[in-house]
Amino acid sequence: MIALPARPLPDPPGGTAIRTSPVVPAWLPAALLGPLVAVLGAWEATEGFTVLESWNRDQLLVALATALAVSTYRVAPAVGLVIVWVLLPVHLLQPVEVLKIELSVAVLAYGLARHGNWLTVVASALSVPGAAFVAYVLTVGYGRRPLVDGLYADITGIGTVSDAVRALGLLAFIVLAVPWLLGLLLRATSRAGAARAEREVAEQAQAAAEIDRARAEEIARLREGQTQLARDVHDVVGHSLAVILAQAESAQFLPDDDPARLKTTFATIAGSARESLQSVRRVLSSTGEETVEGGIPAGGLDSLVDGVRTAGHPVDSEVHGTVRPLPPELDVVAFRVLQEMLTNALKHGRRGSLVRVRRHWFDQLTIEVTNEMEPSTADAPTTPGQGLDGMRRRLEAVGGRLEVQTGADTFTVSATMPLRAAETGR
């Protein structure tokens, strides 16, 4: 197994850790504000809890209703809006004096725009001019104007009732419209901040996904490299051992009185073993250097045929068409496929029988190897992942194909790979 280095996850935006702050419950400010307004309103309506007559009982109810409306500003502002609309005709149609504590409806106006749903926001936006219109109709159109009369009497410097109406409208704008606009501004700012936070979270998730994807690709690349290395070592070692075995078997049939030939055979075996060791080293070094040459010795395909001949095995080799250089990746595939074909011919073929090798160089490169089979190996299954399966995978990776034909006593393997596409890509 190849150990992967641990990679740290990216830091949060700004390079600092995310700090959490205690969250104030949404109901807590309203729970504190409502009773406070109720107490102050009752104090004002009863003149310090000293008078409780019929005229100020209505004011006490108005104060408590105002406290209830204000307490809903965060969790249910629409309910507070309904309460305010109920209080408006009470002031205009009944002689109920406006309490100073009713200025706290500014908090409700803020909550309507800040925390209400879209329908509540629209209704509250229409309520400010709507309330002014209702007040005008009831006070001027129907002569119900105790509120205006009281304001006219209390405010000095106002010459007429119309001036008092205008002053009342300005006061309503300050108390209602300004907080409402502030709440709407904070609502928009909060949503923009939430959208920005969501984008940051999405970016962090994307960065983490990119790291996971890179790690997965690295693991896949390493596993593919391991598989490729195992396949190359299998081909090199298997072919070399098959050649050495063929040479060693041929030495058994040499006459005992010919030591020169025996020495030559043993020297050939030693040379084959040495070449095998060098081939394995080339495979390992090429894998470490990220090259595609795969430890191919000089001579290429011809070196494989010559090696089998040197082992004392008869080979009939034919080349048709014009031989041309191959791109490195195709050169590796062609070499390893022919190497495995010859290895199988030496391992499973009849000892001393002729091995036929055909190479056709046209629009496609076709390599065909035919050997006679031993009766005991005619029906022997191939090992999954090696041999024929390994050759098939190599060829499919470059757009080629592998075909196998079994006769009465012959075994033919044919490998085809495209050449025009390879030449175009060079």
Side-chain angles (χ1 to χ4, degrees):
M1 294 293 293
I2 298 178
L4 294 177
R7 300 184 183 178
L9 290 174
D11 293 332
T16 58
I18 300 176
R19 297 181 177 89
T20 59
S21 57
V23 179
V24 177
W27 52 266
L28 183 58
L32 297 177
L33 184 60
L36 178 61
V37 172
V39 172
L40 295 178
W43 176 277
E44 182 181 0
T46 60
E47 298 182 2
F49 301 115
T50 59
V51 180
L52 187 58
E53 301 292 341
S54 59
W55 60 269
N56 63 352
R57 288 178 183 174
D58 293 338
Q59 290 182 331
L60 181 59
L61 293 177
V62 169
L64 296 179
T66 302
L68 179 60
V70 171
S71 65
T72 64
Y73 87 96
R74 179 63 178 84
V75 293
V79 175
L81 180 62
V82 173
I83 294 174
V84 170
W85 270 104
V86 172
L87 290 178
L88 179 61
V90 171
H91 277 303
L92 296 177
L93 300 178
Q94 301 295 329
V96 179
E97 182 180 351
V98 176
L99 300 175
K100 298 181 180 63
I101 198 62
E102 292 183 71
L103 295 176
S104 61
V105 296
V107 176
L108 177 61
Y110 163 82
L112 288 166
R114 177 68 178 86
H115 303 297
N117 56 32
W118 68 270
L119 185 60
T120 302
V121 173
V122 173
S124 61
L126 298 176
S127 293
V128 174
F133 176 75
V134 171
Y136 176 81
V137 170
L138 292 176
T139 56
V140 178
Y142 292 90
R144 305 297 186 101
R145 52 182 213 181
L147 178 64
V148 177
D149 290 340
L151 181 65
Y152 174 68
D154 292 338
I155 300 179
T156 60
I158 298 180
T160 64
V161 173
S162 299
D163 294 333
V165 172
R166 284 192 293 269
L168 181 61
L170 178 61
L171 180 62
F173 177 80
I174 296 174
V175 174
L176 298 178
V178 173
W180 186 88
L181 293 174
L182 177 61
L184 189 64
L185 176 62
L186 293 179
R187 181 192 189 98
T189 304
S190 176
R191 292 198 172 184
R196 182 167 56 253
E198 290 179 359
R199 287 197 301 270
E200 292 177 355
V201 171
E203 290 173 358
Q204 290 181 3
Q206 183 178 3
E210 288 293 332
I211 291 177
D212 292 341
R213 182 184 61 81
R215 288 179 177 175
E217 290 179 352
E218 180 69 9
I219 293 173
R221 187 186 66 81
L222 291 175
R223 289 179 177 175
E224 177 63 24
Q226 290 175 339
T227 303
Q228 182 65 33
L229 177 61
R231 191 179 297 131
D232 289 343
V233 171
H234 165 267
D235 292 346
V236 170
V237 175
H239 179 75
S240 300
L241 291 178
V243 171
I244 293 173
L245 179 62
Q247 293 171 339
E249 287 179 342
S250 66
Q252 301 178 38
F253 301 95
L254 295 177
D256 295 336
D257 58 352
D258 193 354
R261 292 184 63 185
L262 284 174
K263 290 181 178 180
T264 300
T265 300
F266 290 144
T268 302
I269 293 174
S272 298
R274 191 177 300 107
E275 175 61 28
S276 174
L277 181 60
Q278 293 176 353
S279 297
V280 172
R281 287 175 177 172
R282 281 193 295 266
V283 168
L284 296 177
S285 63
S286 66
T287 303
E289 296 172 359
E290 301 283 343
T291 62
V292 295
E293 296 169 358
I296 296 178
L301 301 180
D302 291 331
S303 67
L304 293 172
V305 177
D306 295 339
V308 174
R309 284 200 182 103
T310 304
H313 209 96
V315 179
D316 178 22
S317 178
E318 295 182 4
V319 178
H320 303 276
T322 303
V323 179
R324 69 200 78 171
L326 294 175
E329 61 275 9
L330 286 186
D331 200 14
V332 170
V333 172
F335 185 88
R336 295 300 179 205
V337 167
L338 179 57
Q339 188 178 54
E340 182 64 22
M341 288 178 173
L342 294 175
T343 300
N344 289 338
L346 293 176
K347 288 172 59 179
H348 307 297
R350 182 177 300 170
R351 185 178 59 82
S353 63
L354 182 66
V355 176
R356 295 180 176 84
V357 179
R358 302 288 184 268
R359 283 173 282 174
H360 302 272
W361 294 82
F362 297 106
D363 294 342
Q364 297 177 329
L365 170 60
T366 300
I367 303 175
E368 183 180 279
V369 174
T370 302
N371 63 276
E372 298 179 5
M373 294 188 298
E374 293 284 357
S376 59
T377 61
D379 299 327
T382 58
T383 303
Q386 305 293 342
L388 297 176
D389 188 51
M391 287 188 289
R392 182 173 289 106
R393 291 185 179 183
R394 287 184 184 275
L395 290 168
E396 289 176 352
V398 295
R401 66 181 184 276
L402 184 74
E403 296 179 357
V404 179
Q405 295 179 352
T406 303
D409 57 354
T410 61
F411 190 79
T412 301
V413 183
S414 178
T416 303
M417 63 187 68
L419 291 181
R420 284 185 174 178
E423 294 173 353
T424 304
R426 284 184 298 174

